[in-house]
């Protein structure tokens, strides 16, 4: 009986033994096709992800290459691909987690030492030199992502006690005061004045600065002076009443033509020298590690030079949270 005859007789198509089997094969194929489709989609997604990752690395490359070394720009892709992760990390960590106070000495009505001509006209004022160098040190350190607190950023006169208060209230870790020396007679040279009690961290700061200034070039290294230049038992106010390691720099004699020439010609280099010495000191004193990450849980205190002891600084409410 043909299928047509069967249907005409029974009103439905005949059930064939292989019918159910055919349906089974049909579903099996669909399942296999679905599995292949899912695998394909996963593959495409992975491919897109890897392409996207590749291009995002390439995008960050020019900045990284510029800051590290231009010579690698023409290299093949293999070393370039492995570079960004190594280079990007230090760039992110280059935020130096310490604070330095820079004090451009004198200001406002206080000119500091002055050079005048025979008619009494002022030719050069210490406060102008300390401002120029102090601001240059600030700019250099800020370009290196160091937190800088300035005692003054305009031509104003500050009380010496207020300068110390600015450094102490801001919990600065290091303090550098900039001055020019003066004397009658032909004397030249640079020196670093540190507290009379010869505190070690202050000495390290002074030594690092003098070493770097010598590298730039100075007329005469007068070394580290403990106490006041003319009285080793007394202290400059800024060394006596700052809690952190401090140094008062005499950046050559304003009365020396040689020192003035050096000061003017090497101002930017001196700023960099002092800035780099500050960063090195923060590492030497273990305030931060080589990546700039803070190691010290409290502000840096120069213990031996404190008259009123550490308890004052470490008493509740004194330490910043
Ligand atoms: Zn001065």
């Amino acid at each position: 009986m043909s299928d047509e005859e069967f249907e005409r007789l029974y009103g439905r198509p005949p059930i064939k033994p292989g019918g159910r089997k055919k349906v089974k094969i049909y579903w099996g194929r669909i399942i296999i096709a679905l599995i292949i489709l899912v695998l394909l989609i996963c593959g495409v997604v992975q491919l897109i992800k890897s392409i996207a990752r590749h291009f995002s690395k390439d995008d960050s490359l020019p900045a990284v290459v510029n800051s590290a070394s231009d010579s690698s720009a023409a290299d093949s892709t293999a070393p370039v691909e492995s570079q960004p992760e190594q280079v990007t990390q230090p760039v992110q960590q280059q935020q130096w987690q310490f604070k330095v106070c820079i004090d451009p000495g004198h200001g406002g009505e206080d000119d500091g030492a002055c050079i005048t001509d025979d008619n009494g006209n002022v030719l050069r004022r210490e406060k102008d030199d300390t401002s120029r160098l102090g601001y240059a040190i600030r700019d250099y350190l800020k370009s290196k992502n160091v937190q800088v607190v300035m005692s003054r950023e305009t031509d104003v006169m500050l009380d010496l006690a207020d300068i110390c208060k600015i450094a102490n209230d801001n919990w600065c870790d290091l303090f550098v005061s900039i001055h020019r020396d003066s004397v009658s007679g032909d004397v030249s040279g640079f020196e670093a004045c540190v507290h009379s009690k010869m505190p070690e961290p202050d000495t390290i700061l002074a030594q690092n600065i003098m070493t770097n200034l010598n590298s730039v070039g100075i007329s005469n290294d007068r070394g580290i002076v403990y106490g006041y230049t003319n009285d080793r038992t007394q202290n400059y106010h800024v060394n006596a009443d700052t809690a952190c390691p401090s140094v008062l720099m005499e950046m050559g004699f304003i009365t020396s033509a040689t020192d003035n020439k050096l000061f003017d010609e090497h101002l930017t280099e001196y700023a960099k020298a002092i800035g780099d010495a500050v960063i090195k000191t923060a590492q030497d004193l273990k305030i931060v590690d080589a990546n700039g990450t803070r190691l010290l849980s409290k502000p840096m205190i120069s213990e031996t030079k404190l008259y009123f002891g550490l308890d004052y600084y470490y008493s509740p409410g004194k330490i910043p949270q």
Side-chain angles (χ1 to χ4, degrees), residues 6-147:
F6 185 94
E7 196 168 352
R8 225 177 292 127
L9 192 65
Y10 294 103
R12 61 170 177 79
I15 296 169
K16 292 186 176 179
R20 287 180 71 87
K21 220 178 183 180
K22 270 190 180 174
V23 171
K24 263 190 181 177
I25 292 166
Y26 181 68
W27 279 109
R29 283 177 183 173
I30 286 177
I31 289 163
I32 290 166
L34 277 174
I35 289 169
I36 291 169
L37 191 66
V38 167
L39 287 175
L40 267 172
I41 290 168
C42 288
V44 169
V45 167
Q46 284 300 322
L47 189 69
I48 290 169
K49 273 186 181 175
S50 70
I51 289 171
R53 216 177 298 133
H54 176 80
F55 276 102
S56 71
K57 274 181 185 179
D58 276 359
D59 286 348
S60 67
L61 205 59
V64 172
V65 168
N66 284 343
S67 65
S69 129
D70 289 337
S71 61
S72 63
D75 287 354
S76 65
T77 48
V80 165
E81 267 195 303
S82 64
Q83 258 185 5
E85 279 180 19
Q86 292 169 354
V87 179
T88 307
Q89 260 191 338
V91 167
Q92 285 171 342
Q93 291 174 346
Q94 212 53 34
Q95 192 77 40
W96 295 96
Q97 295 174 337
F98 73 94
K99 214 183 278 178
V100 59
C101 182
I102 303 295
D103 169 42
H106 312 282
E109 298 148 46
D110 174 16
D111 287 336
C114 284
I115 304 295
T116 54
D117 64 15
D118 295 339
N119 299 319
N121 299 315
V122 175
L123 301 176
R124 192 167 181 129
R125 295 179 298 195
E126 184 184 354
K127 70 166 183 178
D128 297 328
D129 285 354
T130 61
S131 298
R132 284 162 62 207
L133 182 58
Y135 301 163
I137 297 168
R138 171 200 62 194
D139 294 344
Y140 178 75
L141 284 170
K142 283 194 171 177
S143 78
K144 292 280 173 185
N145 290 326
V146 173
Q147 300 173 67

Side-chain angles (χ1 to χ4, degrees), residues 106 112-113 126 178-180 250:
H106 312 282
E126 184 184 354
I178 303 297
H179 287 259
R180 300 286 320 273
E250 294 284 13

